[in-house]
Amino acid sequence: MATLPLPLVIAYLRFTGRTRKFRSAENLHREIAKERRGFSHEPPAAIARDFAIQRDDILGRRVYTLSPRGHRSAVRLTHLHGGAYVSGLTAHHWKFLAGIAAATGCSVTIPIYPLAPEGNWREAFPFVTEVYRRLATETAPENLVLSGDSAGGGLALALAQTLAAQNLPQPRDIVLISPWLEVTARNPGIPAVQPFDPWLAVPGALEAARLWAAGDDPSDPRISPINGPLQGLGRISLFIGTRDILLPDCRELRDRAAREGVNLHYVEQPGMIHVWPLLPIRQANVTAAEIAAIVAG
């Protein structure tokens, strides 16, 4: 992956309006409308050329499987993409996941779950559960890995917390990258971090959460998985930067796991911004290598 200085990436985020998106509910809706025009989940041409891309439909929705050409391992990674539950799969997601597939030989399944405001968590949950169920019927649990970034990280943890009720096995590992664990922004530590976050802001995030919850209680563990069980899950690894308003909730999950005797591998990277492992910066390469090692087992 090409590397850029972190300040340049932050400047790019500001220039392209990523910071504006979350400053208000109105801005969020305006940016959603822009993103919907001509948006495609399809992989970049270079990835489509260098990797095998399988396209399936499950419950009427698209599911991609990205695999390295040639030797493949038995590991099957399911990744739930981020985007505050309102934005889709991006080139950054594709490049990051292609890097993991190349480093490990694993196949990566990417469900395109419904986004708000057109969809909501009640529609997404049965879909991602069915995608996982099908993989679990053909893959040994020790070769199943579940991951997600940002909102997808929250959805991944919420999914893992519900697998027992579906009589489905836990994945060997659950990898959470800057996960959105609690959507009501109730944590009193968030205001202290907000001035240092160049990407996310509470007003737009709250509106995205309102759209995703679609009238249901946002504290429901399937929406805010920080409120769900930690016992009995696969091994959890959590990666978060200190310039991310999601940091206080990640620390809360870390502390709760310690109190409950749950082994949570927690990586807090000083100075890093939201979902930095997916960005074209030098620090991303180091963290992506660590994530690849977890996926490889």
Side-chain angles (χ1 to χ4, degrees):
M1 181 184 291
T3 58
L4 299 171
L6 180 60
L8 184 59
V9 171
I10 291 174
Y12 170 80
L13 292 172
R14 297 186 191 282
F15 178 76
T16 55
R18 298 291 181 91
T19 53
R20 292 195 303 271
K21 180 176 181 178
F22 293 98
R23 288 178 186 166
S24 69
E26 294 76 16
N27 281 11
L28 183 81
H29 283 275
R30 189 179 304 114
E31 294 300 318
I32 290 172
K34 288 182 184 178
E35 290 171 3
R36 293 294 191 270
R37 294 197 288 267
F39 182 83
S40 173
H41 294 285
E42 285 291 299
I47 290 175
R49 181 188 66 240
D50 296 338
F51 292 82
I53 307 292
Q54 179 178 325
R55 297 165 177 82
D56 297 299
D57 289 309
I58 296 179
L59 300 184
R61 300 201 63 85
R62 175 56 52 91
V63 179
Y64 293 97
T65 301
L66 167 74
S67 304
R69 299 189 186 276
H71 173 73
R72 301 178 187 176
S73 77
V75 175
R76 300 296 299 271
L77 169 64
T78 301
H79 186 83
L80 303 179
H81 70 81
Y85 296 124
V86 298
S87 298
L89 188 67
T90 69
H92 290 304
H93 291 108
W94 278 109
K95 292 174 184 177
F96 170 76
L97 295 171
I100 298 297
T104 65
C106 76
S107 295
V108 185
T109 296
I110 313 164
I112 306 302
Y113 59 87
L115 300 174
E118 299 88 351
N120 56 62
W121 75 275
R122 292 190 300 272
E123 298 167 3
F125 236 85
F127 170 61
V128 297
T129 302
E130 178 62 15
V131 171
Y132 183 86
R133 186 194 69 79
R134 296 191 187 193
L135 285 172
T137 61
E138 59 190 36
T139 308
E142 62 267 22
N143 289 322
L144 286 170
V145 180
L146 179 62
S147 67
D149 66 281
S150 191
L155 184 57
L157 181 58
L159 172 61
Q161 291 169 339
T162 65
L163 292 178
Q166 308 290 332
N167 294 315
L168 292 171
Q170 279 291 316
R172 164 176 45 87
D173 281 281
I174 303 164
V175 181
L176 310 177
I177 304 168
S178 304
W180 196 10
L181 301 172
E182 206 287 327
V183 303
T184 69
R186 61 168 173 75
N187 195 302
I190 292 175
V193 182
Q194 179 69 90
F196 304 100
D197 189 327
W199 195 331
L200 303 178
V202 169
L206 286 175
E207 178 64 6
R210 186 187 70 81
L211 297 172
W212 180 247
D216 291 323
D217 181 0
S219 67
D220 186 305
R222 292 166 293 183
I223 302 171
S224 291
I226 200 168
N227 300 318
L230 297 180
Q231 300 284 351
L233 304 184
R235 295 181 303 207
I236 302 173
S237 297
L238 193 159
F239 298 84
I240 185 70
T242 58
R243 298 181 64 181
D244 188 331
I245 62 171
L246 305 184
L247 172 65
D249 289 327
C250 291
R251 287 177 172 172
E252 181 178 330
L253 188 76
R254 175 201 62 190
D255 296 344
R256 182 185 152 205
R259 290 194 303 272
E260 296 181 7
V262 173
N263 184 15
L264 187 151
H265 175 56
Y266 180 83
V267 177
E268 183 176 301
Q269 192 68 30
M272 287 300 101
I273 63 175
H274 189 59
V275 297
W276 87 93
L278 280 67
L279 303 179
I281 57 177
R282 177 180 55 81
Q283 295 90 338
N285 295 337
V286 176
T287 307
E290 183 174 356
I291 292 171
I294 293 168
V295 171

